[in-house]
Amino acid sequence: MEKQESFEHYSVLSKELIAGFKVIDYGHYLDVTVGGGGHSELILQSATEVKITAIDRDPIAIAATQTRLSSYYPKQLEFWQGNFAQFQPQETLFDGIIADLGVSSPQFDTPERGFSFRHEAPLDMRMDCFQEKTAAKIINYESEKTLADIFYQYGEERFSRRIARNIVQKRPFYTTTGLAEAIAYSVPGKYRYGKIHPATRTFQALRIVVNRELESLETLIEKAPLWLKPNGIIGIISFHSLEDRLVKHGFRNHELLKVITKKPIIPQQEEIRENPRSRSAKLRFAQRIINQ
């Protein structure tokens, strides 16, 4: 398992987030996906005596951020490890809430976590290593129809049925590379060598299901406005269309929120050059209305 000190992550849309948040002196902010602590650190640096409550499902991320930031901000940081959908503030209202969705660079780049097929690794994909469900359990035990539905619904994979059929015929699978190779030979030849690896959408779908990402996001959008002070701001950074659609409609339809960003904020070319993984990021803001 990865060392705590190695958990370093590029925080996307950082300037845009701080500008939209309008961080205030003595404010209290909730970071529900603290990761390597990049966004939290910027918030702490933006005003006097700011407090952060930091959440992450990954205990490695929590430990690394504690190690990196707590010595500089010993009285301004508190941590909670777990799924943000299960968080319950203790009579606390926040001036702002941030969620940076998706998988962090350290999780992608640590082979044994099983998020990427660039290296041979166990089919894991758990953000919380204490939970039981892994990608291997889904791949090896779910029915062909269930797998096809997962790939189509959560990966928007056009060849979902062909891929599911081939997986069921050739399983069990235990490694990321073994599964990726089987997926590649499930699609027509002309799709095997394009810009996007043919296993990309299927791996996205598996990760979403393993970690119940969309259900957790729906719960967050429903609950988080209740945790905001009047005029408090929530900002959510998403990385694929399924997430962005939920954020867009969730903000628009919530009775306690006023949408600030009618169109999502996207990275500038300079940021994309420095961090290519930021290219799909979209940031949306909403504000807690007063008259409720």
Side-chain angles (χ1 to χ4, degrees), residues 2-7 34-36 56 58-70 79 81:
E2 175 184 31
K3 295 181 180 179
Q4 294 176 7
E5 292 83 355
S6 68
F7 202 104
V34 70
D56 206 285
D58 190 339
I60 298 172
I62 290 282
T65 303
Q66 284 178 316
T67 299
R68 192 168 72 85
L69 295 182
S70 290
F79 294 89
Q81 192 264 318

Side-chain angles (χ1 to χ4, degrees), residues 116-262:
S116 171
F117 45 78
R118 289 184 295 126
H119 307 280
E120 183 174 2
L123 272 174
D124 194 320
M125 299 194 192
R126 293 173 296 174
M127 292 183 183
D128 181 349
C129 56
F130 296 111
Q131 75 174 45
E132 291 187 9
K133 181 186 286 187
T134 64
K137 288 185 177 180
I138 294 172
I139 285 295
N140 291 321
Y141 294 105
E142 294 290 355
S143 69
E144 179 181 325
K145 181 182 184 305
T146 298
L147 290 176
D149 290 345
I150 287 172
F151 303 157
Y152 183 77
Q153 181 177 355
Y154 298 109
E156 300 178 301
E157 173 55 67
R158 61 186 295 194
F159 301 111
S160 59
R161 298 192 183 283
R162 295 175 59 155
I163 292 170
R165 188 182 312 118
N166 197 35
I167 286 173
V168 169
Q169 289 173 352
K170 295 183 177 181
R171 65 189 183 187
F173 292 94
Y174 299 108
T175 66
T176 54
T177 50
L179 178 61
E181 183 178 359
I183 294 169
Y185 282 97
S186 302
V187 304
K190 65 179 180 180
Y191 294 103
R192 290 176 195 163
Y193 306 104
K195 291 182 179 179
I196 299 176
H197 191 284
T200 300
R201 293 184 178 89
T202 300
F203 269 62
Q204 172 187 295
L206 283 170
R207 191 201 76 221
I208 288 172
V209 172
V210 167
N211 298 290
R212 299 179 62 89
E213 292 178 26
L214 297 185
E215 295 97 321
S216 296
L217 177 57
E218 287 180 324
T219 301
L220 177 70
I221 295 171
E222 178 185 344
K223 290 183 175 180
L226 301 171
W227 307 340
L228 283 169
K229 295 177 182 178
N231 288 326
I233 293 174
I234 179 171
I236 298 182
I237 300 172
S238 63
F239 287 88
H240 56 75
S241 60
L242 298 175
E243 290 175 338
D244 183 58
R245 198 175 302 131
L246 278 179
V247 177
K248 176 182 177 180
H249 294 295
F251 281 0
R252 186 175 64 190
N253 296 331
H254 203 293
E255 61 182 2
L256 297 180
L257 292 177
K258 176 181 70 175
V259 173
I260 297 175
T261 47
K262 293 185 178 180

